[in-house]
């Protein structure tokens, strides 16, 4: 009887081990994610399909707020070795020391180099020319979005209708004219972000680096020219204090723009999906070319990237997920459904059939894509700089102090440089 029981138990065990999905434990991976529009829903759908084809892997998405979850909490978690297996990040080079190099587990590393090109370098530490750590979930371009309906109601001509090259001062004058005519509270607004400020500053001639490649704000006349305009616009009511002066981290004017309280909004291409859902055709929102100055008419390139985290206990499984999501077919679907511009050479060549019937959204995507060709080299260099976040955050915080009167503009610029130098010295162990 005992022998029979043993045989039966062994037979049962063999049967269980033979069943699909029972022969091994399911590996659970965690992905930290934030969303601007519907991309969390799209990503979850894609992951569900991946799991159907890969029953040994389960991916848990942790949706977090951008400011609190990505900019603030994630770096702390990574420093403590308690980060996720994958994360969607925007501080691309600043977190590079925490990324996993997936190269040993990739089935075709050449595909990544061919498809994502120079953007892979945005995820690498200085001196690294080979590591493959993730891929851009989208290419972003900063630029202004206007409420054309307000211009029409005010009887004010849209400056870019007459010329593709309109100065910042001309846009400010037009936006103020519209706001005065219709009693709109905010003629202009800009996301509270040093990255968002950088495009306008470069357009005014800012160089951001000295001849040796060190970030140098002090003595940069182009930076000062834009900073002076920017501070004065907050003092004379052209821009709202509610965005820059009332916050300590990143802040946007999405809600104010959606409520027709802003005439001219300096933001970027990631807003297209959100505005499609939240504004639709309630009024005519329109992307216009970046304003011009002595340095050109440039925005900033950028984007978010999905990266693999080096502390993962499952690098092979993480790489399988990343390969699936980075494939041309799947990334093309993600881009089409989220209305994101893909940073993928194949998709750039073949085009993306964006899933929207809203002409406003299609026109916005076309205009943002056309802006890629107007970006100055300084903008690309600044975006690729591994410690760009230091430059952006110092600019944001010290300019805010100038806006509220805690520092003069000259003092603010001096403190920006001090902040940059001190933080870079700390990184270098000095």
């Amino acid at each position: 009887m005992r022998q029979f029981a043993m045989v039966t138990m062994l037979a049962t065990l063999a049967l269980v081990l033979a069943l699909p999905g029972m022969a091994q434990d399911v590996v659970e991976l965690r992905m930290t994610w934030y969303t601007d529009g519907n991309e969390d829903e799209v990503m979850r759908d894609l992951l569900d399909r991946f799991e159907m084809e890969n029953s040994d892997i389960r991916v848990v998405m942790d949706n977090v707020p951008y400011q609190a979850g990505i900019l603030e909490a994630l770096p702390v978690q990574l420093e403590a070795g308690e980060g996720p297996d994958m994360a969607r990040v925007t501080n691309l080079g600043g977190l590079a020391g925490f990324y996993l190099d997936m190269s040993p587990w990739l089935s075709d590393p050449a595909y990544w180099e061919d498809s994502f090109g120079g953007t892979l370098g945005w995820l690498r530490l200085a001196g690294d020319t080979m590591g493959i750590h993730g891929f851009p979930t989208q290419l972003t371009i900063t630029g202004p979005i206007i409420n054309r309906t307000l211009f029409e109601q005010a009887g004010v001509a849209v400056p870019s209708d007459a010329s593709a090259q309109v100065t910042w001062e001309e846009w400010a004058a037009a936006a103020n004219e519209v706001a005065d005519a219709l009693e709109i509270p905010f003629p202009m607004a800009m996301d509270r972000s040093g990255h968002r400020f950088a495009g306008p500053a470069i357009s005014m001639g800012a160089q951001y680096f000295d001849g040796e490649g060190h970030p140098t704000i002090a003595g940069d006349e182009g930076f000062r020219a834009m900073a002076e305009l920017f501070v004065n616009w907050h003092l004379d009511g052209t821009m709202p204090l509610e965005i820059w002066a009332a916050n300590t981290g990143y802040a946007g004017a999405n809600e104010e723009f959606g409520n027709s309280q802003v005439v001219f909004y300096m933001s970027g291409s990631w807003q297209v999906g959100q505005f499609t859902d939240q504004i639709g055709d309630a009024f005519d929102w329109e992307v216009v070319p970046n304003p011009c100055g002595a340095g050109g008419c440039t925005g900033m390139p950028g984007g978010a990237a999905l990266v693999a985290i080096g502390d993962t206990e499952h690098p092979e499984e993480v790489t399988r997920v990343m390969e699936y999501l980075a494939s041309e077919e799947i990334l093309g679907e993600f881009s089409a459904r989220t209305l994101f511009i893909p940073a993928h050479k194949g998709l750039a060549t073949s085009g993306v059939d964006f899933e929207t019937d809203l002409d406003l959204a299609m026109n916005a995507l076309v205009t943002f894509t056309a802006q890629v060709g107007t970006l100055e080299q300084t903008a690309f260099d600044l975006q690729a700089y591994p410690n760009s976040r230091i430059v952006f955050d110092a600019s944001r915080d010290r300019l805010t102090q100038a806006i509220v009167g805690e520092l003069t503009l000259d003092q603010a610029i001096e403190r920006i440089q001090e902040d940059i130098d001190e933080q870079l010295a700390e990184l270098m162990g000095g």
Side-chain angles (χ1 to χ4, degrees), residues 77-89:
Q77 294 166 355
L78 294 175
E79 190 70 43
E82 299 175 352
D85 300 282
M86 295 165 281
R88 186 184 186 205
V89 301

Side-chain angles (χ1 to χ4, degrees), residues 7 49 82 88 91-92 94 104 203 208 222 234-235 241 287 298 309 336 382 418:
V7 171
R49 283 154 50 185
E82 299 175 352
R88 186 184 186 205
N91 187 7
L92 308 181
S203 293
Y208 272 93
H234 282 86
L235 299 181
L241 294 172
V287 176
T298 187
I309 303 302
L382 182 56
E418 291 175 358

Side-chain angles (χ1 to χ4, degrees), residues 206-238:
Q207 298 298 308
Y208 272 93
F209 298 98
D210 62 18
E212 297 179 354
H214 183 82
T216 304
I217 302 302
D220 189 329
E221 291 303 318
F223 185 96
R224 193 188 191 288
M226 188 63 215
E228 185 171 16
L229 283 175
F230 188 66
V231 171
N232 287 338
W233 284 337
H234 282 86
L235 299 181
D236 68 16
T238 298

